[in-house]
Amino acid sequence: MSDADEAETSGADEEVQFTLKAVINRHKTKVLFAEIDSQFADALLSFLTMPLGKMVKLLNDHYRDEAPPIGSLTSLYSGLSNLDSRHFWTEGCKIMLLNPRSSLEYKCSRLKLDINDTRLEKYFCCEDPRCSRPRYSNISMHRDVGVCACGRSLNREIGVRNSCELADGDRDDGVFVVANESFLISDDLRLVPNVAGSVMGTLKNLGITDMDGAELRNVVFGFDEVIDLLKGSLLSRTPLSDMIILNRRKFYIARPKPERGIHEREFEGSSSIKKTILKVTVQKSTNKLLFAQSNNDFVDFLCSLLTFPLGGVEYHLCNNTPFKGIDNLYTSLADFIGDEYLANADIRKSLMKPSLPHGYMSENKILPLVGNTDPRLFYHKGLGMDEEWLSYSSRDSKCARAIKYRNNGGYYINGRKMYMVSDDLTVTPLCMISIFSILKDMKITLSDVKEVEVPIGVDEGLSILKASLTSTTALTDGLMLNPVLNKKPKQEPRGYFMHY
Ligand SMILES: [Zn+2]
């Protein structure tokens, strides 16, 4: 990356730096652990708040041509960005999906280094400045996605003031962890408080058994290094060693084979979860999945994957994802970081079981997501006729009103069109010509093709989500256990419809 590119992507945070004290093994081949301050621990924990779509965008924007593909998420993202706006409810819906936001923005805006730049996020109110409906109850997080009670679009920007100040109920001692504490991170991103007097216990928690001949090295991390660390947490089992000892850009890219099956988990309200039918085209002679045809229900589900924060992925996949660094960070919150090290009592839950921002819940939900009912934003009106603003604190003025969001009813994709979904989750409008040309390119005859209808519910949804994190054949890997596709001859499973 050139210096010019570097300056452009580093943005306002380019001056922010952290110093890590890294302990390196005797052979200088591995970082055993590093001592970090609470502000760096906050930046690290903010990874859990990042929606998958935002993560893909951030890596694409930062690394450009060298951006690493993340499973099928990268092709899902680029497929949706190439899909014409008319397929979405509004142009705003498409922009929202390509720039998904976190329900913990009010926290992240106070980070020393916020790679998401949440401080720059905007909100929108009725386009009519003279609208008589209450402004505070007609707010949207995205332009042109919600409709005011008067029927007009919510597309006039309203600013957030003092976004770095404390939100109501927050204490001034840290964002996620308490301020001025020191923490240790292992090479694979286990995070533990740096407690004097329990050295052996701490090393055990970090998985370290041998410290002989270890040496200390001070390392400076800025914006680029934190993004490298995010990338490393997704692709490597030893991100710190990769960055500090090896050339930081040459990550060992761990691509574990997707495991078969998913963990059992009880979901709240899962009885309201619907199933949708996916029509899968399979090559008869090889039983290979070629592509799927779906209506907007399934495409809405794929869209919603981009809005899922990493902490939510961890929760729903029972802390067993291909992102081992993120797995470890998540487990650290449960296992090692006591309440006394957290900035407030709600933090653990908000990071480990995060909700989606209001308005992000699709009515077509296949996965049991939870929407945020507490926007933590207040509407303020000043003395001047036109003076109005939002802030995270009700203390900001005497007439603060908690805001209420309005949205489009929770759909992303408009109408009842059919779409083609390729194995890497690229979504395109369904078109006979393209199907024939795909089959022709693959040298597959029509007589060698069958269509199979696969019901997609919570299990299939989670399985596709898990596969999408690491595999470029997410449909095949996500549905490989499905009895319809994992065909056992002469034993047609009940409840499935097969078309030959
Ligand atoms: Zn209005």
Side-chain angles (χ1 to χ4, degrees):
M1 182 179 281
S2 73
D3 289 342
D5 287 344
E6 204 115 30
E8 195 180 316
T9 49
S10 298
D13 284 320
E14 63 188 322
E15 300 300 325
V16 175
Q17 288 187 331
F18 302 96
T19 301
L20 286 73
K21 289 182 182 146
V23 176
I24 297 178
N25 73 348
R26 177 179 29 175
H27 306 293
K28 298 185 179 52
T29 53
K30 184 173 169 53
V31 173
L32 296 173
F33 63 89
E35 186 184 305
I36 58 173
D37 65 12
S38 54
Q39 290 176 314
F40 190 80
D42 280 337
L44 206 53
L45 288 169
S46 77
F47 291 175
L48 297 174
T49 73
M50 192 177 295
L52 295 178
K54 186 82 181 193
M55 182 183 88
V56 171
K57 181 180 189 315
L58 192 67
L59 296 175
N60 283 348
D61 290 352
H62 188 74
Y63 295 106
R64 312 241 174 132
D65 294 343
E66 292 175 22
I70 306 294
S72 295
L73 292 174
T74 305
S75 40
L76 172 63
Y77 186 94
S78 64
L80 290 175
S81 62
N82 292 331
L83 200 59
D84 194 282
S85 305
R86 68 192 157 86
H87 293 281
F88 297 85
W89 271 101
T90 61
E91 171 109 32
C93 278
K94 177 177 174 180
I95 295 168
M96 161 181 169
L97 276 175
L98 299 177
N99 301 274
R101 288 163 66 170
S102 158
S103 59
L104 290 172
E105 262 173 22
Y106 70 100
K107 289 277 181 202
C108 295
S109 63
R110 287 174 47 230
L111 290 169
K112 178 177 171 184
L113 193 155
D114 175 18
I115 52 176
N116 273 327
D117 258 348
T118 45
R119 263 165 260 177
L120 303 179
E121 298 293 13
K122 301 179 175 80
Y123 290 81
F124 299 89
C125 63
C126 183
E127 63 186 358
D128 178 5
R130 293 181 303 279
C131 174
S132 60
R133 305 304 175 114
R135 196 83 84 224
Y136 67 87
S137 61
N138 289 283
I139 299 285
S140 173
M141 288 178 89
H142 294 272
R143 188 193 297 274
D144 188 33
V145 167
V147 176
C148 177
C150 76
R152 293 186 184 84
S153 180
L154 299 175
N155 61 10
R156 189 163 56 91
E157 195 180 317
I158 178 165
V160 179
R161 279 193 197 169
N162 307 326
S163 62
C164 300
E165 289 186 3
L166 281 183
D168 276 15
D170 271 0
R171 300 194 314 239
D172 189 14
D173 53 1
V175 178
F176 300 121
V177 293
V178 284
N180 305 317
E181 281 289 342
S182 150
F183 292 82
L184 305 175
I185 41 169
S186 64
D187 199 7
D188 57 358
L189 304 191
R190 274 182 256 188
L191 178 69
V192 301
N194 189 5
V195 188
S198 64
V199 177
M200 293 320 288
T202 305
L203 291 178
K204 187 168 162 253
N205 288 341
L206 291 168
I208 294 160
T209 50
D210 182 12
M211 285 275 289
D212 287 351
E215 69 170 64
L216 189 69
R217 199 182 292 179
N218 281 342
V219 188
V220 174
F221 269 34
F223 181 89
D224 288 347
E225 286 75 19
V226 173
I227 301 240
D228 283 349
L229 190 56
L230 169 69
K231 175 175 134 182
S233 72
L234 306 172
L235 298 174
S236 168
R237 284 170 186 261
T238 55
L240 282 185
S241 294
D242 294 350
M243 293 175 65
I244 294 172
I245 295 179
L246 306 173
N247 180 336
R248 64 179 186 158
R249 300 212 177 272
K250 287 183 184 163
F251 284 137
Y252 164 64
I253 297 185
R255 292 198 180 282
K257 282 202 178 268
E259 290 161 42
R260 293 184 165 238
I262 54 163
H263 290 251
E264 296 292 326
R265 184 181 272 290
E266 286 291 316
F267 291 113
E268 297 158 24
S270 56
S271 57
S272 64
I273 306 285
K274 62 191 275 185
K275 283 205 172 198
T276 187
I277 298 290
L278 189 66
K279 192 182 280 185
V280 176
T281 302
V282 176
Q283 184 177 18
K284 282 189 212 171
S285 56
T286 60
N287 214 29
K288 184 174 181 292
L289 186 153
L290 302 174
F291 54 84
Q293 301 167 52
S294 91
N295 59 15
N296 55 332
D297 286 4
F298 185 72
V299 180
D300 256 351
F301 156 71
L302 292 179
C303 290
S304 73
L305 294 185
L306 295 181
T307 70
F308 238 68
L310 274 170
V313 172
E314 289 290 334
Y315 174 75
H316 283 100
L317 297 180
C318 301
N319 195 215
N320 180 18
T321 76
F323 304 154
K324 289 305 161 202
I326 302 292
D327 282 0
N328 287 335
L329 202 53
Y330 186 86
T331 326
S332 303
L333 270 173
D335 293 348
F336 305 135
I337 305 176
D339 287 344
E340 67 273 30
Y341 292 99
L342 292 174
N344 70 46
D346 302 331
I347 288 294
R348 196 186 312 276
K349 189 178 168 213
S350 352
L351 285 171
M352 296 189 71
K353 195 182 170 186
S355 50
L356 291 184
H358 191 89
Y360 276 47
M361 293 282 295
S362 170
E363 291 294 319
N364 287 328
K365 66 176 181 180
I366 291 174
L367 296 185
L369 310 177
V370 183
N372 190 10
T373 50
D374 174 19
R376 299 268 186 153
L377 256 184
F378 295 88
Y379 172 81
H380 305 271
K381 193 152 178 55
L383 294 173
M385 279 301 285
D386 297 329
E387 195 194 6
E388 53 183 357
W389 72 96
L390 302 177
S391 83
Y392 295 127
S393 167
S394 60
R395 301 180 299 272
D396 216 18
S397 77
K398 284 187 177 148
C399 53
R401 299 292 299 262
I403 69 149
K404 286 185 191 145
Y405 291 117
R406 286 179 71 89
N407 58 63
N408 68 341
Y411 293 97
Y412 299 119
I413 297 295
N414 181 10
R416 291 264 145 207
K417 296 187 184 67
M418 291 295 288
Y419 294 88
M420 188 163 96
V421 181
S422 58
D423 208 0
D424 66 357
L425 305 185
T426 303
V427 177
T428 46
L430 185 68
C431 148
M432 281 303 155
I433 304 291
S434 58
I435 289 179
F436 286 123
S437 67
I438 286 171
L439 293 178
K440 196 176 164 203
D441 288 349
M442 297 173 96
K443 298 189 170 58
I444 296 172
T445 60
L446 263 187
S447 59
D448 190 22
V449 164
K450 65 180 178 183
E451 285 179 348
V452 182
E453 291 191 347
V454 185
I456 305 288
V458 178
D459 287 353
E460 293 80 11
L462 288 174
S463 196
I464 291 171
L465 166 65
K466 185 165 186 176
S468 75
L469 306 177
T470 183
S471 163
T472 50
T473 53
L475 272 190
T476 297
D477 294 337
L479 299 174
M480 69 188 349
L481 268 193
N482 197 288
V484 180
L485 295 166
N486 199 22
K487 193 177 101 180
K488 290 191 177 73
K490 293 178 187 169
Q491 270 194 326
E492 194 166 313
R494 281 190 345 197
Y496 297 106
F497 311 97
M498 318 239 335
H499 298 283
Y500 291 90

